[in-house]
Structure formats: structure tokens, C-alpha cells
Amino acid sequence: MLMYKQKKSQAAGIRLLISITVIGSAGPIRFVVNEEELVASVMDTALKTYAREGRLPVLGSNINEFVLYCPIAGTEALGPLEAIGSFGVRNFMLCKKPQAVIEVGEDRKSAAVGITRKNGGSWKSWFNKSINLKVSSH
């Protein structure tokens, strides 16, 4: 009697080949993830892969300093607790959060704070400008 190998169950979820472009880097990072994997986990994997490959510029490994975008879905950053497969796309963009320096207290110590304003100097306008520079009109 022949024994057949049992197929793996679908409980593991669907696996996706995703591509993450890092602003300022030579090319995208590609790796396979489960569609239920969280955005924060994907960002962590992307940063580790980026460092392992010795890419420039050096980014660091703190995922709190970065945001992941889906260029097709708009200019809103993806939430770190969302599933990566819930967006229906496979191409993403990883950007460093812009930092503003403010002086704090009488000692004039400087502290870095994320930019959250919605006017001309916001991170959204910076993101839109960086995308518009890369898109050539024919």
C-alpha cells in the first residue's frame, strides 16, 4: 500500500512575495511573508534584511523611526498592527520619519519630535514631493 504525503493545511495562511523600496536606496528589498503578518513585523524584517545586505544609507533597526506606505493606496502611513495582506498590494515604500528639533526648558536642551502638523511643512507634503520627483511625465 502506498503512503501519500499529506498536504500542508491552509492554516499557515497565504504567503506573499512583497517588495519594499527604501527611499535613497539602490533597489527594492524582496522577501516572502504570510498575509496575516503585522506591518511592524514586516518593517522589522525589512530593516534587518537591509542591514544584512550592507545597503546604504545606513538606517538603523528601530522600527519606531520608520513608516511604511502603500504608494497605490495614498499618502497615509500603514498602521503597525494591521495585517500586511489586508491592503491587496505587494509593493510598499519604507521611509524614515521626519524629525523636527525644538528647544526645551531653560537649559536649551534640544529634543527630537515627529512632525505631525498638517500644513506645508508636514511629512505628508514631504512624501508627496519625493514621489513627484521620481515620477516622470511623458
Side-chain angles (χ1 to χ4, degrees):
M1 182 169 190
L2 288 172
M3 309 253 328
Y4 294 100
K5 286 188 177 181
Q6 293 180 355
K7 293 183 181 178
K8 290 186 179 181
S9 67
Q10 290 292 347
I14 297 172
R15 297 176 59 87
L16 305 170
L17 175 64
I18 63 170
S19 176
I20 298 179
T21 302
V22 178
I23 300 279
S25 183
I29 300 169
R30 292 181 181 95
F31 53 94
V32 177
V33 295
N34 286 327
E35 71 175 351
E36 293 91 17
E37 198 164 340
L38 299 179
V39 169
S41 175
V42 170
M43 289 171 52
D44 186 48
T45 303
L47 289 171
K48 287 178 182 176
T49 303
Y50 185 91
R52 189 178 319 119
E53 292 178 1
R55 293 183 180 222
L56 294 175
V58 176
L59 298 178
S61 61
N62 185 359
I63 64 170
N64 296 322
E65 294 177 0
F66 296 90
V67 288
L68 191 67
Y69 293 97
C70 174
I72 298 170
T75 58
E76 291 294 319
L78 306 180
L81 299 178
E82 296 179 89
I84 198 73
S86 65
F87 304 105
V89 295
R90 297 178 185 204
N91 297 318
F92 300 93
M93 191 179 293
L94 185 68
C95 303
K96 199 159 196 161
K97 287 182 185 175
Q99 297 290 316
V101 177
I102 61 169
E103 293 181 3
V104 178
E106 296 174 2
D107 298 341
R108 303 277 186 203
K109 295 179 182 176
S110 61
V113 221
I115 297 175
T116 58
R117 298 176 306 202
K118 292 193 175 190
N119 58 11
S122 71
W123 62 270
K124 288 182 186 178
S125 65
W126 168 84
F127 179 71
N128 287 331
K129 288 177 188 175
S130 66
I131 288 178
N132 289 336
L133 292 175
K134 295 185 186 329
V135 176
S136 63
S137 59
H138 294 271

